[in-house]
């Protein structure tokens, strides 16, 4: 199985900051990488797919980059509502696997 | 608007089976795959498998092979997950989620159903 490792595990930031979360795959996932945001008691919400494509309705403050085994999610101008846990997911090959999550505290 | 509404589950004893249902709306049921993803409380996300509602074809994660069955009923546009031989480690929130047939990221999710395995 492809292992997805995120860093950092926890991130504390302030409103207005720019933050970056990294996701590393144990082998190449080409560009088949998605990012989700999850808030307490809620289902994950798709933010970005295929590395850098913004899901409809998601703020342009979110952006993604990378390819192969290393990927980043960047959030510009952090807002209070951006708190939550962020997960990357590879869908290059099954079993589709997720990173362990990055908790973003505002 | 697209919604996936889940039902079922609750508290089960070890060794029992559980069935969770997922009823999508707002799109044509057979046009998108349904996946099941579980989350142990306070932990990460684990993909369990998918079903193609058009054909009934399934693909399961190796970890759950032999214990999981995913089905669909096109007459009521509902997909279901059944997990047997439950252990305490199966206590989790089970989500259904939608993907296209060719790109398996999940654009819409069910609200999640808590399954508690307890004696």
């Amino acid at each position: 199985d492809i292992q997805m490792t995120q860093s950092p595990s926890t991130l504390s930031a302030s409103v207005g900051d720019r933050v970056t979360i990294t996701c590393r795959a144990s082998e190449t996932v080409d560009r088949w990488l998605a990012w989700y945001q999850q808030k307490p008691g809620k289902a994950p919400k798709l933010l970005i797919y295929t590395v850098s494509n913004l899901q409809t309705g998601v703020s342009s403050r979110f952006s993604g980059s990378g390819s192969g085994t290393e990927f980043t999610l960047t959030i510009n101008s952090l807002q209070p509502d951006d708190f939550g846990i962020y997960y990357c997911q590879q869908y290059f090959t099954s079993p589709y696997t997720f990173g362990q999550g990055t908790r973003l505290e505002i | 608007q697209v919604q996936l509404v889940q039902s079922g589950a609750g508290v089960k004893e070890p060794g029992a089976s559980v069935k969770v249902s997922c009823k999508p709306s707002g799109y044509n049921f057979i046009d998108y795959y349904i996946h099941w993803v579980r989350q142990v409380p306070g932990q990460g996300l684990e993909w369990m498998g998918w079903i193609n509602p058009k054909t009934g074809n399934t693909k399961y994660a190796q970890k759950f092979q032999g214990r999981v069955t995913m089905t669909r009923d096109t007459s009521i546009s509902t997909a279901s997950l059944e997990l047997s031989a439950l252990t305490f480690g199966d206590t989790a929130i089970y989500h259904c989620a939608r993907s296209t047939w060719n790109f398996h990221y999940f654009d819409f999710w069910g609200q999640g159903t808590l399954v508690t395995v307890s004696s």
Side-chain angles (χ1 to χ4, degrees), chain A residues 6 9 25 46 80 83 90 97 101:
Chain A
Q6 291 180 229
S9 296
L46 176 67
F83 79 92
Q90 66 81 15
T97 47

Side-chain angles (χ1 to χ4, degrees), chain B:
Chain B
Q1 72 283 20
V2 174
Q3 281 189 301
L4 283 71
V5 177
Q6 298 180 222
S7 60
V11 180
K12 300 292 181 180
E13 291 191 342
S17 296
V18 68
K19 189 169 186 177
V20 181
S21 295
C22 174
K23 185 171 176 62
S25 60
Y27 71 94
N28 192 357
F29 177 61
I30 62 172
D31 286 346
Y32 291 82
Y33 281 27
I34 294 292
H35 298 251
W36 291 91
V37 177
R38 77 177 188 179
Q39 185 170 31
V40 173
Q43 296 187 28
L45 299 160
E46 182 174 34
W47 177 80
M48 300 180 70
W50 56 251
I51 183 167
N52 178 345
K54 180 180 287 187
T55 63
N57 289 346
T58 56
K59 186 176 183 72
Y60 303 141
Q62 181 80 15
K63 175 177 180 176
F64 301 102
Q65 287 276 2
R67 284 208 301 140
V68 68
T69 305
M70 296 178 190
T71 57
R72 95 299 190 207
D73 185 336
T74 55
S75 69
I76 56 171
S77 298
T78 297
S80 296
L81 165 76
E82 186 164 10
L83 189 62
S84 63
L86 292 171
T87 69
F88 296 122
D90 292 316
T91 294
I93 297 169
Y94 290 77
H95 292 277
C96 60
R98 184 185 89 158
S99 82
T100 61
W101 67 270
N102 52 346
F103 297 118
H104 293 175
Y105 60 85
F106 314 124
D107 60 352
F108 288 93
W109 295 63
Q111 80 275 20
T113 300
L114 177 61
V115 174
T116 302
V117 182
S118 174
S119 55

Side-chain angles (χ1 to χ4, degrees), chain A residues 2-47:
Chain A
I2 297 178
Q3 307 301 316
M4 307 299 290
T5 304
Q6 291 180 229
S7 59
S9 296
T10 304
L11 184 56
S12 294
S14 301
V15 172
D17 285 354
R18 177 186 185 189
V19 299
T20 297
I21 299 169
T22 297
C23 176
R24 288 186 174 89
S26 60
E27 55 189 271
T28 184
V29 299
D30 198 351
R31 292 180 59 80
W32 308 126
L33 192 285
W35 290 96
Y36 302 85
Q37 175 197 60
Q38 187 176 33
K39 298 200 173 183
K42 300 292 187 182
K45 172 188 174 183
L46 176 67
L47 300 174

